[in-house]
Amino acid sequence: MSLYRRRILLGIAGGIAAYRSAELARLLVKQQAEVRCVMTRSAKEFITPLTLEALTGETVHDELFDLTTEREMGHIRLARWAELIVVAPATADVLARHAHGMADDLLTTILLASQVPVLMAPAMNQAMWSHPSTQANVALLRERGIQIVGPDCGELACGEQGSGRMCSLETLLAAMRLCLGGGRLRGERWVINAGPTWEAWDRVRVLTNRASGRLGFHLAEAAAAEGAETILVAGPGVPRSSLPMRRVDVESALEMHRACLDAAEGADVFVATAAVSDYRFAERIEGKHKRAGRQTVRVELVVNPDIVADVARLPRRPDRVIAFAAECREHVHSARQKMLEKGVDAIVANDAERMGSEEAGGWWIDERGVVELSATSKVHFAEQLLERIACMEDEA
Ligand SMILES: Cc1cc2nc3c(=O)[nH]c(=O)nc-3n(C[C@H](O)[C@H](O)[C@H](O)COP(=O)(O)O)c2cc1C
């Protein structure tokens, strides 16, 4: 769903992540949304209104008691103008003030005066985030229908590790689309597997590959943003999404096989983006293998089940089963062969050399022919794939 001409009020509060609101404003403008920014007084300590005015081409609003703005675009008019309010970053303070119905500055007054959906992306130090006051405020806001997106886990601006980092801008954009009624996949169940698998040799060593799981992750976010009931079967290292979806964490190919078959029975769509290990160790060593002077070690590998082929053979198989094939040469020919062998409805061939990179590209192959998909960011590639998969229904 496009954000073209959607009226989005971007609220910016005073936290370190305020600098990311400039990039968010830029992305929204790029997608041709209409953006108006409202800053708290503290936000102006972190980023200047001038930056946001230059990016959006619109006056930035920051004062409740301002005669000029009240005449031109006062708080009530701003509240009525917006179709969606996004507060990013949302400080602990703004969460608290809005949870308790305060209206002591322009942003919180607009939040009270508005009746449109509100999205808040908290960002703060992990102790502030886990504080019982913040958690109680967030629970209260959620109860009232405000969508809290994030925060993510990771390294924070204060140098600590933990939960409190503002979610990714892609996640925020997907959440906005969902809020604005992107719902054409409502009623459908999409199951997507993503990431590498780990085949344990002993307690500490694993056989794996370079897949990051980001393409499957972005596809799952795009499906969730369009209202699909989404199940992401995630191998190790796949990023976590703040969008509404079910996630099943797995490690080995056998675990992924079981989880996918359970989730895909009766689903509408199954997309196999995961780079599942073809082989596992015939025997798993207890504890840690000791080198003990050996120059060579022989290991025996046994073949793993073919997940996408087994999903395509389920008694109540999904209507659309899409496989992926990472090939080094003769991409289209080899992938088409695989499509027939596996009994899937379409296959995406891509270059194995590109595994783990920031970009994705390849070929979409189905019974009607081949379409080349040029290399682009994984977010954009996932959106293109979603379009193709969603349209397969109409073409059938
Ligand atoms: C350097 C600095 C960084 C800060 N970063 C954050 C932050 O990331 N998140 C947060 O909730 N508060 C942060 N604060 C505290 C807020 O700025 C403070 O609570 C302020 O009152 C928030 O005002 P506002 O919610 O009206 O924007 C920071 C303060 C300072 C001095």
Side-chain angles (χ1 to χ4, degrees):
M1 204 208 71
S2 143
L3 294 174
Y4 176 69
R5 296 190 93 170
R6 305 308 295 258
R7 297 184 307 278
I8 297 167
L9 191 143
L10 175 57
I12 302 148
I16 296 275
Y19 75 94
R20 292 179 64 200
S21 61
E23 179 66 4
L24 180 59
R26 194 186 69 80
L27 288 174
L28 289 170
V29 169
K30 209 170 143 196
Q31 302 200 8
Q32 295 179 286
E34 292 180 24
V35 191
R36 299 268 161 86
C37 297
V38 173
M39 301 178 82
T40 65
R41 190 166 293 169
S42 317
K44 291 189 286 179
E45 300 288 335
F46 294 87
I47 170 173
T48 69
L50 187 62
T51 307
L52 294 161
E53 289 205 353
L55 288 166
T56 60
E58 294 287 343
T59 308
V60 169
H61 304 269
D62 50 6
E63 286 298 333
L64 185 55
F65 302 105
D66 181 315
L67 281 182
T68 320
T69 38
E70 199 53 35
R71 220 177 299 123
E72 288 164 4
M73 188 61 140
H75 64 281
I76 298 292
R77 269 210 277 164
L78 263 175
R80 287 199 190 127
W81 170 85
E83 280 179 87
L84 170 69
I85 301 180
V86 182
V87 185
T91 51
D93 175 65
V94 150
L95 294 170
R97 286 191 287 135
H98 189 44
H100 294 281
M102 291 174 72
D104 55 353
D105 68 359
L106 182 60
L107 180 57
T108 46
T109 305
I110 289 172
L111 283 167
L112 270 197
S114 167
Q115 291 179 324
V116 298
V118 175
L119 265 172
M120 290 185 142
M124 64 200 72
N125 155 280
Q126 55 103 13
M128 286 175 94
W129 172 247
S130 57
H131 194 284
S133 296
T134 307
Q135 288 303 309
N137 292 333
V138 166
L140 208 53
L141 292 170
R142 280 205 174 107
E143 233 171 72
R144 293 186 194 139
I146 288 177
Q147 208 188 318
I148 306 289
V149 192
D152 283 354
C153 226
E155 194 181 337
L156 303 169
C158 55
E160 289 177 23
Q161 286 280 335
S163 188
R165 201 165 68 173
M166 193 169 104
C167 67
S168 78
L169 300 184
E170 284 87 22
T171 299
L172 210 42
L173 288 171
M176 285 184 210
R177 289 195 191 99
L178 185 60
C179 266
L180 285 168
R184 76 194 152 118
L185 300 181
R186 243 176 259 283
E188 291 194 2
R189 182 173 5 129
W190 283 47
V191 181
I192 296 157
N193 70 7
T197 54
W198 283 359
E199 305 303 323
W201 183 44
D202 66 6
R203 181 72 187 81
V204 295
R205 299 177 181 94
V206 295
L207 174 67
T208 186
N209 58 63
R210 296 179 198 277
S212 66
R214 282 198 306 272
L215 179 60
F217 162 81
H218 290 308
L219 185 62
E221 285 213 322
E226 285 293 352
E229 176 200 344
T230 307
I231 304 175
L232 178 64
V233 181
V238 177
R240 293 198 164 265
S241 175
S242 307
L243 295 188
M245 67 174 73
R246 187 148 78 79
R247 179 183 172 108
V248 185
D249 281 298
V250 296
E251 202 173 280
S252 66
L254 287 181
E255 285 172 13
M256 188 171 275
H257 181 258
R258 198 169 317 120
C260 287
L261 264 61
D262 283 351
E265 181 90 55
D268 295 277
V269 173
F270 179 74
V271 193
T273 73
V276 182
S277 177
D278 284 325
Y279 300 100
R280 66 180 183 276
F281 294 98
E283 266 179 68
R284 186 187 158 156
I285 298 167
E286 288 303 318
K288 180 170 174 270
H289 169 85
K290 288 218 179 310
R291 191 155 85 166
R294 274 183 279 234
Q295 292 303 313
T296 56
V297 175
R298 280 185 190 283
V299 290
E300 192 185 351
L301 298 175
V302 292
V303 75
N304 273 324
D306 186 333
I307 296 177
V308 73
D310 286 352
V311 166
R313 277 196 287 265
L314 279 170
R316 289 193 306 127
R317 104 200 256 285
D319 297 333
R320 288 156 278 167
V321 179
I322 295 96
F324 270 64
E327 306 285 350
C328 287
R329 58 196 150 84
E330 296 191 325
H331 304 79
V332 173
H333 176 75
S334 313
R336 190 185 276 119
Q337 204 64 31
K338 276 190 188 161
M339 179 175 90
L340 299 173
E341 283 163 20
K342 291 171 191 279
V344 298
D345 305 297
I347 194 159
V348 180
N350 53 7
D351 197 341
E353 297 287 329
R354 218 183 238 140
M355 191 182 270
S357 82
E358 291 301 319
E359 288 202 324
W363 296 265
W364 170 274
I365 303 160
D366 59 22
E367 61 177 16
R368 299 175 337 140
V370 181
V371 179
E372 184 160 1
L373 308 167
S374 50
T376 181
S377 72
K378 286 193 170 158
V379 179
H380 190 223
F381 192 74
E383 282 167 3
Q384 286 181 5
L385 282 182
L386 181 104
E387 285 305 319
R388 293 208 160 267
I389 299 167
C391 291
M392 283 169 82
E393 185 79 323
D394 311 330
E395 288 159 5

